[in-house]
Amino acid sequence: MHVWSKLSSAKWRDAWEERFLGLGQTNAVIEELPGGKSVRVDVYCENEEDALAIMEQFGGRVRKLKQENWAAMAPPQRNPIKIRDRLLVVSEGDAGALEKLRDEHPGREVVSIPAELAFGTGDHATTSTCLRLLVDIGEVFSKAGHAWSMIDLGTGTGLLAIAAAKLGAKPVEGFDYDETAVRVARKNVGRNKVEGVGLYEADVFQWQPEPGAWDVVVANIYADILGANLDKIATALAPDGHWIISGILREHEEGVRASAKDAGLPEPKVIRKGKWVTLLGRKRVSS
């Protein structure tokens, strides 16, 4: 076990929480230091490679924990997260325990996402809202008897892509600029035994979508990245395509909505949960 640590100004606390705690991670600790002007960020990693990858991106330092401290720092199992009446997101990875959960929750698809160094374990407001909206959209397609496709920009742990596949989407793609996230997401696809999901490393700023290729586009990423790429999301959407964008703080909502309008996307439905905002829309409704 290794730990990455960094001291930072307290004004950046929200950003650190969003990066390492905001989407449900349990292997990080953010501590306010005496005086209230600084915070220390610690992220606990199973191997040195992951810790060094964080250091390369954010600076700071890496140290090895003594063997006797490992058990104490192991992240606890999270309570299962129920999404509508269709999904159950759990951190459990044991096959026997997962089978028991399926028996205890008939009618729900069980999605296993252990806490690792990537965004998206289901219990943050942005992720859970995206999951609920995916369930709703999946039901629309199912009732209409139509197949549907989905792409997940900034896939993190792959949770949204995996959930979409379990809800009937095919094909499903997801990408992330973070190599570690892609590795974790691919592991989770195998863990959940879903097919038709392609995951790869890519930068949304370099993404060149095929026009009209996707029935659903989901992006749960930073507001400034969303704002700069909404024209691509509009291009990627099929006629009547649904778009879900999240990871937006309330103070950035108006700017993102203005960018969506500039990209030719109709006025979206706005879902606010605490300080977080999710936007849901459709590209065009057929007459």
Side-chain angles (χ1 to χ4, degrees), residues 113-132:
I113 305 288
E116 297 192 60
L117 292 179
F119 283 153
T121 51
D123 45 357
H124 186 265
T126 60
T127 315
S128 59
T129 301
C130 288
L131 287 168
R132 287 193 294 272

Side-chain angles (χ1 to χ4, degrees), residues 100-152:
K100 182 180 179 182
L101 285 166
R102 293 186 186 97
D103 292 340
E104 292 173 349
H105 299 274
R108 292 183 186 271
E109 295 285 350
V110 176
V111 185
S112 171
I113 305 288
E116 297 192 60
L117 292 179
F119 283 153
T121 51
D123 45 357
H124 186 265
T126 60
T127 315
S128 59
T129 301
C130 288
L131 287 168
R132 287 193 294 272
L133 296 176
L134 279 175
V135 169
D136 296 343
I137 290 169
E139 288 184 355
V140 170
F141 282 109
S142 178
K143 288 178 179 178
H146 295 162
W148 57 292
S149 59
M150 193 273 265
I151 188 166
D152 180 20

